[in-house]
């Protein structure tokens, strides 16, 4: 069983979240860049992730997909990085709560908004996130008045929640509330976040340069 950590991604995807997490963890990893038109749907990659989507990682014989799951896995696989509260601590529940809130209600709400779908008032009880406004209000409460979402220490939950907020504000799917801007401003200045962006931005630039004139 190989200890090699392999990261499957595309620099213009949610893989940017996992790249940031990997840089926070600080262990060696090998990147496999896939393109949407061919290699992401090729048999070799479908054997890793039958969805044909990125990101994904392989590590110690295990495949992990879905950004939040990968962040949680990496935090537990490399505890020396200190990116998750101890399992026995009260903060562990808060950590799980907001990590899953971001990949569940927040992801669903902002995706639906970007596609022009609004839950009818009489169907809000059916939708897991209720409505976008309620979801963003809850998220605002979680990040208001503090640098990190769990206690006074940065965690994998901040990687995922922060990336969702930063990405959402950039593309207009999350409104620029002061609490969101303050929270993201602090996280985006982390050295690992900057390194990750530089790596992926360089991959995008290289891909553009390689295109026929």
């Amino acid at each position: 069983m190989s200890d090699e950590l392999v990261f499957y991604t595309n620099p213009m995807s949610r893989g940017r979240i996992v790249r940031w997490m990997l840089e926070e963890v600080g262990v060696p990893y090998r990147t496999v860049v896939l393109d949407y038109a061919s290699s992401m749907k090729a048999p070799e990659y479908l054997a890793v992730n039958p969805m044909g989507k990125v990101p994904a990682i392989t590590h110690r014989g295990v495949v992990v997909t879905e950004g939040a799951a990968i962040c949680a896995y990496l935090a537990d696989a490399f505890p020396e990085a200190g990116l998750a509260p101890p399992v026995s601590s009260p903060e562990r529940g808060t950590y799980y709560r907001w990590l899953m809130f971001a990949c569940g209600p927040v992801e669903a709400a902002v995706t639906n908004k970007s596609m022009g779908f609004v839950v009818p008032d009489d169907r809000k009880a059916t939708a897991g996130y209720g409505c976008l406004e309620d979801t963003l209000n809850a998220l605002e409460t979680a990040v208001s008045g503090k640098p990190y979402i769990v206690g006074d220490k940065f965690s994998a939950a901040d990687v995922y929640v922060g990336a969702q907020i930063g990405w959402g504000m950039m593309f207009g799917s999350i409104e620029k509330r002061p609490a969101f801007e303050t929270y993201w401003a602090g996280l985006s200045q982390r050295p690992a976040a900057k390194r990750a962006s530089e790596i992926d931005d360089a991959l995008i630039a290289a891909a553009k340069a390689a295109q026929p004139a």
Side-chain angles (χ1 to χ4, degrees):
M1 184 182 300
S2 174
D3 282 343
E4 183 184 31
L5 177 53
V6 183
F7 171 42
Y8 300 88
T9 189
N10 181 288
M12 297 181 69
S13 75
R14 291 173 177 81
R16 295 180 75 102
I17 302 174
V18 172
R19 173 84 71 184
W20 177 12
M21 182 65 186
L22 285 164
E23 291 299 313
E24 292 283 357
V25 170
V27 298
Y29 62 93
R30 176 167 63 89
T31 301
V32 177
V33 178
L34 304 171
D35 67 84
Y36 289 99
S38 58
S39 55
M40 209 175 289
K41 303 298 183 182
E44 293 81 4
Y45 184 62
L46 291 177
V48 175
N49 184 3
M51 285 285 287
K53 295 177 73 68
V54 291
I57 65 168
T58 57
H59 182 233
R60 297 173 182 166
V62 175
V63 175
V64 188
T65 65
E66 316 314 314
I70 296 171
C71 288
Y73 173 86
L74 290 171
D76 289 343
F78 301 99
E80 62 275 12
L83 294 170
V87 174
S88 60
S89 71
E91 290 80 12
R92 187 74 173 201
T94 304
Y95 164 80
Y96 282 137
R97 176 189 181 185
W98 294 114
L99 181 60
M100 300 311 163
F101 183 78
C103 72
V106 174
E107 171 77 12
V110 299
T111 298
N112 282 350
K113 177 186 178 180
S114 68
M115 295 182 177
F117 176 75
V118 178
V119 177
D121 287 341
D122 62 347
R123 301 300 300 276
K124 289 179 181 178
T126 304
Y129 66 86
C131 67
L132 177 64
E133 187 69 14
D134 289 347
T135 301
L136 294 185
N137 288 344
L139 186 62
E140 182 178 15
T141 299
V143 303
S144 292
K146 53 187 178 182
Y148 308 123
I149 204 163
V150 182
D152 59 358
K153 189 175 181 181
F154 178 82
S155 72
D158 291 298
V159 173
Y160 197 85
V161 174
Q164 287 276 44
I165 290 174
W167 190 273
M169 290 194 299
M170 180 185 299
F171 290 98
S173 57
I174 291 179
E175 60 191 65
K176 294 182 177 180
R177 299 184 183 186
F180 294 157
E181 292 181 306
T182 299
Y183 176 67
W184 174 238
L187 298 180
S188 63
Q189 295 306 304
R190 292 183 62 84
K194 290 183 175 182
R195 284 197 307 273
S197 289
E198 289 169 359
I199 292 169
D200 281 326
D201 289 347
L203 287 172
I204 293 172
K208 289 180 178 178
Q211 293 177 351

